[in-house]
Amino acid sequence: MSEGDSVGESIHGKPSVVAAFFTRIGQIYQSWLDKSTPFYAVRWAATLLLTAVYMIRVYILQGWYIVTYALGIYHLNLFIAFLSPKVDPSLLDEGKLIHLEHCFFMWSGFVIGNEGPSLPTKQNEEFRPFIRRLPEFKFWHSATKGIVIAMICTFFDAFNVPVFWPILVMYFIMLFCITMKRQIKHMVKYRYLPFTHGKRTYKGKEETGKTFAS
């Protein structure tokens, strides 16, 4: 083997070594994430502790308010996605769906009834758990990554933009109230709760043991 071939292999081998290193790091990271999945209380406790450390750091440094505001907006969007159903009920509006089905079946030569799809409202109907747009684990993972990125930003003066922080606080409170009010109205309008504790069971009437003569 010539000297030029060995040099060429070393040059072309560097990207593969680096790629293998980051691939291994990603596998280890994903393995730890998979192991932490069932321990939701521990995960959220660690995230709250990290949030407290970040807030203390911002308070001591007296800066990076724009980063904190952006982090709050990001967490608010994640929270709204966590409370929202995977399929927006407004997209399945009964009148629009009936109209579309009517046009389709009239074109196909079929006749349909006047009832559109609806949520189960009786005891004997199929139980449908609430499916979130953003699952709990992804919510936690994204929120934690946002805090870590914001913490890293506090080490760079380029992100410390001078701003009057009370305005940001008031604006965030207003945005939070407006967003939550809209979300609650949406929940009331389409009659759903963003929490599922399993299928509800109904207890029948107890037998008294009395017999009636005919």
Side-chain angles (χ1 to χ4, degrees), residues 57 61 64 67 149-161:
R57 176 173 173 79
L61 296 177
W64 287 271
V67 175
I149 294 174
M151 184 78 73
I152 295 174
C153 290
T154 58
F155 290 94
F156 300 93
D157 291 333
F159 297 101
N160 188 14
V161 180

Side-chain angles (χ1 to χ4, degrees), residues 97-161:
L97 189 59
I98 291 176
H99 177 71
L100 293 176
E101 289 180 346
H102 180 73
C103 293
F104 174 78
F105 282 96
M106 286 294 293
W107 175 79
S108 302
F110 294 97
V111 180
I112 61 172
N114 293 327
E115 295 184 357
S118 60
L119 297 175
T121 56
K122 298 181 180 179
Q123 297 180 9
N124 58 353
E125 290 189 21
E126 181 183 358
F127 171 72
R128 300 176 185 176
F130 182 80
I131 302 178
R132 304 181 186 279
R133 183 190 307 172
L134 182 66
E136 180 271 334
F137 184 80
K138 290 185 177 181
F139 177 31
W140 166 79
H141 190 213
S142 300
T144 306
K145 286 194 302 183
I147 298 172
V148 172
I149 294 174
M151 184 78 73
I152 295 174
C153 290
T154 58
F155 290 94
F156 300 93
D157 291 333
F159 297 101
N160 188 14
V161 180

Side-chain angles (χ1 to χ4, degrees), residues 88-99 117 189-190:
D88 192 350
S90 61
L91 300 178
L92 300 176
D93 184 76
E94 185 176 358
K96 296 180 181 179
L97 189 59
I98 291 176
H99 177 71
K189 180 179 180 180
Y190 295 101

